[in-house]
Amino acid sequence: MAAVDIYNVHVLDNPAPLTHPLSFEITYEVREPLLEDIEWKVVYVGCAEDEKYDQELDSVLLPADTPGRFGFVLNVDPPDVSKLPVDDIIGVTVVLLSCSYKE
């Protein structure tokens, strides 16, 4: 059984232009107290063929030392379009939201 369960991630203001901030409403449950914080990270995948174009939009550390259900809204700035390959600005992409404990 996992120490933390993610119950829901709702993408707010979806769809939105590429140049607008992104917002995620996240609900999770801490099942057992953890000694260290959990990290939530948002990465924009700028090009499927090359990781060097990935942009970490934000990361936050939240305590997980108290069992219970919690929720928060994670607001992040949009990707820097000037750092994306021209051919990949328009089209399919990935925004990766991760939750990790003890890298």
Side-chain angles (χ1 to χ4, degrees):
M1 180 181 289
V4 176
D5 289 327
I6 300 170
Y7 277 93
N8 191 41
V9 175
H10 181 75
V11 181
L12 304 175
D13 302 323
N14 185 26
L18 177 63
T19 55
H20 283 208
L22 303 170
S23 296
F24 304 91
E25 184 177 34
I26 300 166
T27 306
Y28 66 101
E29 182 172 352
V30 176
R31 292 184 170 273
E32 59 186 70
L34 300 176
L35 299 175
E36 296 180 25
D37 294 344
I38 53 177
E39 179 182 31
W40 297 87
K41 186 184 300 185
V42 179
V43 174
Y44 182 87
V45 177
C47 175
E49 290 81 30
D50 196 339
E51 278 184 28
K52 74 179 181 183
Y53 295 107
D54 291 359
Q55 296 178 41
E56 183 176 317
L57 302 181
D58 203 354
S59 68
V60 296
L61 295 172
L62 294 178
D65 57 351
T66 304
R69 191 172 286 201
F70 304 94
F72 68 103
V73 174
L74 179 57
N75 297 304
V76 301
D77 290 331
D80 183 346
V81 179
S82 70
K83 295 180 179 177
L84 300 175
V86 175
D87 293 340
D88 290 314
I89 291 176
I90 303 290
V92 177
T93 191
V94 172
V95 176
L96 180 63
L97 171 67
S98 64
C99 176
S100 59
Y101 177 68
K102 284 190 170 183
E103 282 188 60

